[in-house]
Amino acid sequence: MNGTTQPSSTAEQLTNGHSSNPAGAPTPAPAPAKDDRIRMRSVTLDGLSATERSKVLQRPVLKSDDMISKVKPIVDLVRKDGDKALKELTAKFDKVELDSVVIRPPFFSATSANGVNGDSSSSTSTSYCLDGKTAVSIDPKVREAIDIAYANVKKFHAAQLTAPLSIETMPGVTCQRIAKPISRVGLYVPGGTAILPSTALMLGVPAQVAGCSEIVLATPPRRGNGTVSPEVLYVAHLVGATGIVKAGGAQAIAALAYGTHAVGKVDKIFGPGNQWVTAAKMMVQNDSEANVAIDMPAGPSEVLVIADCDSNPAFVAADLLSQAEHGTDSQVVLVGINLTQEALQRIEDAVDSQAHALPRVDIVRESIGKSLVVNTSSLQEAMRVSNEYAPEHLIVNLDLARYELTSSSLMALVENAGSVFVGPFTPERFVFFSTPWLTQCFTVTNKRWSAR
């Protein structure tokens, strides 16, 4: 994530590291221990007007204009200095000195790494990924899991290919709809705070199935050795990527939009990212000189979980934290159905316990603080709240048999949701890695008519 160094504490700035207690002064009493518990906010919607309900369910406000003004100098620098700017910005933000900003295939080899520069474990591997001339080992079990996910996602997207539509609307007039692949696509794969081969799969596979001739990934290099993660390298191999830009943030978006000496300009940019990435995508889309399209300005990650007293508290907590750990601007919502205070306490205890076990606990602490618990009296009311909120991801962690429902009849109640996971054993994290929940459009629909 692009950002600035955190300032030192006020005490450090005032005392330059020395004690601020004058000689002879009484030692102040210790401050009370800070409550370290991670909590969600409980709200009630009973008796509220539609306007009041909407305000309660409002997402954290993102000031896009402010963010665009922050990314503009970065985008302008890449337009002006190209690869030189990419290297400088990568050194500044990712703490990596790059010799080259782009790597080309091959990204994977199934033979030993003898004769190739490798990391500490790749010399004993029977297969390894390639970052240029550097061999990067990949765990065989991880590779197998990615293979399974790739097959699932590809099967789903291959089924979406449609035949051309041709219809004679009146005698002598024929209208047609023909889908053609976008020639050059740029796929942004976040990697600053987490490795996301799932994103590479969800973007790369439909681009491959659509037949895009150039598939270029952009992802931040890893701190330390400056290589791309082996998981992303392996996905790039599977989807037939033609290149990987070793850069993240606004600078990567600028390189894809305008092109540099090493980075070819693309026609459309896809993929999620933090506020810097989103603002950069919005900026280049509105610049006629860039002549580039984007998929959408993705907002912060979010999930809404519906649960009742019989839901497993550990499962519910894991579902909530799966999105809360994405960023400080993420929001998660728990909608309970007749949750007792004891049941809610068990869920809150599980959230606190699991959150403290995460390496990203500081991110979770801030995002959970902006999140909500809403208790309702029925499944119908819970679905009404979900439809009003329109979550990116909806998890229905219920035993549907208790409600005399099937997954199909439940889906009839869903009006607004980006993706839906039904049942206690459909964790959203698993689906991210193994099934094609995300659908991107990598084709241009050409509509034409002819008269004879």
Side-chain angles (χ1 to χ4, degrees):
M1 177 183 290
N2 296 328
T4 56
T5 303
Q6 291 294 320
S8 59
S9 69
T10 303
E12 289 174 332
Q13 295 179 55
L14 293 176
T15 65
N16 196 27
H18 298 293
S19 172
S20 60
N21 186 33
T27 302
K34 184 179 179 181
D35 184 0
D36 196 41
R37 187 172 177 81
I38 294 176
R39 295 183 176 90
M40 298 176 69
R41 294 182 297 124
S42 292
V43 299
T44 180
L45 301 181
D46 293 341
L48 298 183
S49 66
T51 301
E52 291 169 331
R53 287 171 65 98
S54 178
K55 187 173 182 179
V56 169
L57 296 175
Q58 187 175 24
R59 292 162 171 80
V61 176
L62 298 179
K63 298 181 179 179
S64 58
D65 290 344
D66 290 348
M67 285 305 304
I68 289 176
S69 67
K70 291 178 181 178
V71 304
K72 187 177 187 303
I74 298 174
V75 172
D76 290 345
L77 185 62
V78 174
R79 289 189 68 181
K80 176 176 175 289
D81 294 339
D83 297 332
K84 177 175 177 289
L86 279 181
K87 292 179 180 179
E88 291 175 351
L89 291 167
T90 300
K92 178 179 180 180
F93 295 126
D94 299 307
K95 313 304 180 187
V96 173
E97 300 284 346
L98 295 177
D99 294 326
S100 175
V101 296
V102 178
I103 54 176
R104 304 289 181 189
F107 300 120
F108 176 77
S109 175
T111 60
S112 68
N114 294 333
V116 182
N117 297 327
D119 61 18
S120 59
S121 59
S122 60
S123 60
T124 60
S125 300
T126 57
S127 63
Y128 60 94
C129 294
L130 285 171
D131 183 322
K133 294 183 179 181
T134 301
V136 186
S137 63
I138 183 169
D139 186 322
K141 292 183 179 179
V142 172
R143 179 187 165 196
E144 182 182 3
I146 292 175
D147 284 337
I148 294 171
Y150 171 76
N152 289 342
V153 176
K154 189 172 184 180
K155 182 177 182 181
F156 180 82
H157 285 291
Q160 296 180 52
L161 293 175
T162 58
L165 171 67
S166 181
I167 184 170
E168 188 175 47
T169 57
M170 61 184 298
V173 177
T174 300
C175 298
Q176 296 179 313
R177 184 182 66 190
I178 304 172
K180 297 285 187 180
I182 299 171
S183 296
R184 303 167 298 180
V185 294
L187 314 181
Y188 186 82
V189 180
T193 59
I195 297 172
L196 296 174
S198 55
T199 299
L201 278 170
M202 299 305 173
L203 297 172
V205 172
Q208 181 186 42
V209 170
C212 300
S213 57
E214 291 185 34
I215 302 174
V216 181
L217 273 61
T219 193
R222 295 186 292 177
R223 294 190 179 191
N225 59 15
T227 61
V228 174
S229 74
E231 297 85 359
V232 173
L233 286 170
Y234 186 59
V235 173
H237 159 72
L238 291 177
V239 303
T242 53
I244 301 177
V245 181
K246 297 170 72 170
Q251 59 270 26
I253 300 302
L256 294 172
Y258 299 102
T260 69
H261 178 73
V263 182
K265 172 182 165 40
V266 302
D267 300 314
K268 189 169 183 177
I269 300 171
F270 297 82
N274 59 24
Q275 295 182 50
W276 297 82
V277 171
T278 298
K281 287 171 66 177
M282 294 170 65
M283 179 180 171
V284 300
Q285 176 190 228
N286 291 321
D287 182 1
S288 58
E289 293 185 22
N291 193 28
V292 68
I294 67 171
D295 49 355
M296 62 179 177
S301 297
E302 61 187 33
V303 67
L304 186 148
V305 180
I306 297 177
D308 61 15
C309 289
D310 292 329
S311 301
N312 187 320
F315 288 7
V316 175
D319 285 339
L320 293 167
L321 292 172
S322 69
Q323 291 298 306
E325 69 170 359
H326 274 211
T328 57
D329 54 359
S330 300
Q331 187 176 43
V332 299
V333 179
L334 170 61
V335 178
I337 301 176
N338 292 316
L339 278 179
T340 63
Q341 189 58 45
E342 292 76 13
L344 179 57
Q345 187 64 55
R346 288 193 292 269
I347 293 173
E348 291 181 332
D349 288 345
V351 168
D352 181 67
S353 174
Q354 292 183 32
H356 277 97
L358 294 172
R360 301 158 69 87
V361 61
D362 290 337
I363 292 175
V364 170
R365 188 187 312 280
E366 190 167 343
S367 61
I368 285 290
K370 297 192 287 272
S371 299
L372 305 173
V373 177
V374 180
N375 210 357
T376 63
S377 59
S378 66
L379 174 62
Q380 288 70 26
E381 175 62 14
M383 292 306 304
R384 178 187 171 194
V385 172
S386 176
N387 287 326
E388 285 183 45
Y389 185 77
E392 177 188 10
H393 307 298
L394 167 63
I395 299 175
V396 184
N397 196 319
L398 302 173
D399 178 1
L400 295 186
R402 290 187 63 247
Y403 296 88
E404 298 182 350
L405 289 173
T406 64
S407 57
S408 296
S409 57
L410 174 76
M411 286 302 300
L413 302 176
V414 178
E415 296 175 3
N416 305 311
S419 59
V420 184
F421 309 89
V422 181
F425 300 105
T426 53
E428 177 243 359
R429 285 291 86 191
F430 172 80
V431 176
F432 259 41
F433 281 87
S434 62
T435 57
W437 72 270
L438 175 63
T439 301
Q440 296 282 359
C441 180
F442 287 88
T443 60
V444 176
T445 300
N446 295 325
K447 296 180 179 178
R448 67 184 185 184
W449 63 272
S450 61
R452 64 178 188 274

